[in-house]
Amino acid sequence: RARPDPRSSCVFVVRKDQDIYIQTLRKLFNESHGIFIGLQRSEEEFAGKSRKTQLVQVSKNYRSVIRACMEDMHQAAVSARDPALHSQYSTQVSILSAMELIWNLCEILFVEAAVAGPLLLRLLDWVRLHVCDVDNMVREVLSSENPSKHELFWNVVDVFVLQGRMDEARHLLSKEASANPTSVNMCRILDDLMKKMPVPSLGNTQTLTEMELKWQHWHEECQRYLQDGTFASNSHMESICKILLGDENAILEKKELMTTWYHFLVTRLLYSHPTVKPMELRFYAQSSMDLFLGGESSPEPLDTILMAAFEFELHQVIKECSIALSNWWFVAHLTDLLDHCKLLQSHNLYFGSNMREFLLLEYASGLFSHYSLWQLGVDYFDHCPEYGRVYLELHIERIPLNTEQKALKVLRICEQRQMHEQVRSICKIMAMKALRNNRLGSALSWSIRAKDAAFATLISDRFLKDYCEKGCFSDLDLIDNLGPSMLLSDRLTFLGKYREFHRLYGEKRFSEAAKLLLMLMTAHIAPCSFWMTLLTDALPLLEQKEVIFSAEQTYELMRCLEDLTAGKSDKQKFQDDDVETMKVEMLRLALARNLARVIVKEGTLEGS
């Protein structure tokens, strides 16, 4: 991509990867994610031949996902009533079709690394699978009442011959022989030639030399029949015989039936060099493209990519795909697969990362801009050893935490990866949100999770303030089950202990409640601003029939009351309302009466 001239006044519009928002492509992203993870985990499980078989299977799995998406997209295009939507879906079908075409070729040449012999068979399968333009014509002829009389009959025979589908071609020839007695002899000879045609085997049943020898004999036999003028009276059969001999001009005459230069390439190899070696492909591919296009049209991006594959220029394939395709999915997954095939080991990029990691980082970053697909992106970052962690930390902080459920999901991801800074950040954000919505329980829970003492103190103060105003606690379950978390801050400790005092009082365990109340003040756990509330809470205990506070405890309470009142200046005392003054007087009276009762009680006990 060209670097803009700094002097120019152009405005560049940067847009997000739009493909991730296309609903039909969600299947592609979701299902390929599972294949990707499976491939990373199986790294050590296989070796040698079984490893290669496994990698080919992984490649086929990826292709089946592409095809499934292509079918879904095609159905969506058919049922779309809006022309703009129909056009969008049709474009996506074309893109997915091109992706599978490229991937399939890369699978043959790089993943399976097919050798001379089986290579041609694989390329034939590739062409048959992807050149579908003539399928409608084939269906039309075969479904007609009298196929041999159909105007497109010989076109269909040619299609089968061009694709090496000899059994189907012979079947049609038999229909011609039945319908036309004059051509019976020619049909029989052509049928015999097709039947005898040697083809490479996938197993090790014959050597390349044996295959080439058989092919040479067969080729000479075809040549004899052509020179003898056996098919001279039937131009269609004569043309087929010339194709069997690998005559380039005869094959090129069927250009319309092949539709692409790479179909021409495979047909040409089938009838002129069936034992082609992988490294010879580049020469045949280039000349086939030149012959087929004939200077009439320039190569499309797809042609350039396929040519780079035939030339075994792996990095060029990836580079051209990155430029031509509308998202990073294809190059990221293909590069990862090729990296597992140990084909990209030597290629490091100038900024330190290798190509596999760079492309996976780009793809995962795109996923993070989607409201739900970001979860898939996490796993891709996990499998980028160099920069994955850094990217994940940056991206996870930008996820909008619009619900508590989503926040918990993000939090779990961070906790599993010991991302302590991000855990704290998420908890603080959620605590602030909860506090703004006056959900104190949730805010306290998040601040405890964040281990944020200052914020826990702030929320504890709000709880205590609410208690003073309403006379009861909210979120009792949370406060009752603070456990060791209450030690996070002094105020939180006080909140937990103060709630425990209320619980003991409610259970009529008055001695324990009194002891705890006194401890909260004497150990300075309670804030001074709350002492009057605590002393007021002591009043019902002082008024109980049974003496609860001992003399020593009563003296402590008196000292706390005097410390509280002595600590206030004259101005503050003057400003205090009558209610406060009355509380103090009531407390002094209650404490004095309790002390008298205790002294009498303790004196009686001593006397007895």
Side-chain angles (χ1 to χ4, degrees), residues 118-298:
L119 173 61
L120 182 72
L121 297 178
R122 293 283 180 246
L123 290 174
L124 273 172
D125 288 339
W126 175 65
V127 162
R128 288 166 190 166
L129 184 64
H130 295 284
V131 178
C132 311
D133 304 29
V134 291
D135 287 0
N136 289 334
M137 179 178 67
V138 171
R139 273 193 293 272
E140 188 188 329
V141 171
L142 293 179
S143 61
S144 67
E145 201 173 313
N146 192 346
S148 63
K149 298 296 181 199
H150 197 285
E151 58 180 345
L152 298 173
F153 172 78
W154 287 106
N155 281 2
V156 174
V157 177
D158 288 340
V159 165
F160 289 148
V161 172
L162 292 166
Q163 291 186 11
R165 293 156 71 176
M166 291 310 187
D167 289 343
E168 288 154 285
R170 288 172 61 209
H171 176 67
L172 278 187
L173 273 180
S174 68
K175 291 188 183 296
E176 164 66 12
S178 305
N180 193 349
T182 57
S183 61
V184 171
N185 192 46
M186 284 185 285
C187 286
R188 184 185 55 76
I189 293 168
L190 195 56
D191 177 84
D192 195 46
L193 288 174
M194 288 181 184
K195 186 181 175 183
K196 285 181 185 173
M197 181 184 168
V199 286
S201 66
L202 280 173
N204 294 321
T205 50
Q206 63 178 351
T207 63
L208 280 183
T209 313
E210 285 171 341
M211 164 65 203
E212 282 170 352
L213 207 59
K214 284 180 188 174
W215 188 82
Q216 195 58 46
H217 286 310
W218 173 81
H219 193 265
E220 285 166 7
E221 191 178 348
C222 291
Q223 189 80 51
R224 265 197 315 276
Y225 281 119
L226 187 68
Q227 286 170 351
D228 290 351
T230 306
F231 306 112
S233 60
N234 189 314
S235 60
H236 296 299
M237 292 200 210
E238 187 174 46
S239 169
I240 290 170
C241 189
K242 284 179 181 177
I243 292 170
L244 296 182
L245 281 165
D247 185 316
E248 279 176 10
N249 293 327
I251 298 171
L252 272 173
E253 278 173 20
K254 310 297 176 186
K255 192 174 177 178
E256 298 302 316
L257 297 176
M258 289 183 289
T259 69
T260 64
W261 66 268
Y262 45 89
H263 186 338
F264 171 56
L265 161 69
V266 177
T267 303
R268 189 182 165 201
L269 289 172
L270 174 64
Y271 296 115
S272 63
H273 192 6
T275 54
V276 64
K277 294 180 176 67
M279 284 306 158
E280 294 170 338
L281 280 175
R282 63 173 67 225
F283 310 113
Y284 287 101
Q286 190 60 61
S287 63
S288 294
M289 187 163 79
D290 294 343
L291 283 166
F292 194 84
L293 298 179
E296 293 167 25
S297 56
S298 55

Side-chain angles (χ1 to χ4, degrees), residues 438 465-474:
N438 212 32
K465 186 185 170 196
D466 271 17
Y467 170 77
C468 291
E469 289 170 2
K470 298 172 187 171
C472 63
F473 283 110
S474 58

Side-chain angles (χ1 to χ4, degrees), residues 490-504:
D490 290 347
R491 200 60 43 84
L492 187 56
T493 306
F494 170 65
L495 176 65
K497 290 294 179 186
Y498 185 50
R499 164 61 196 148
E500 192 181 331
F501 159 74
H502 278 275
R503 190 170 49 77
L504 292 169

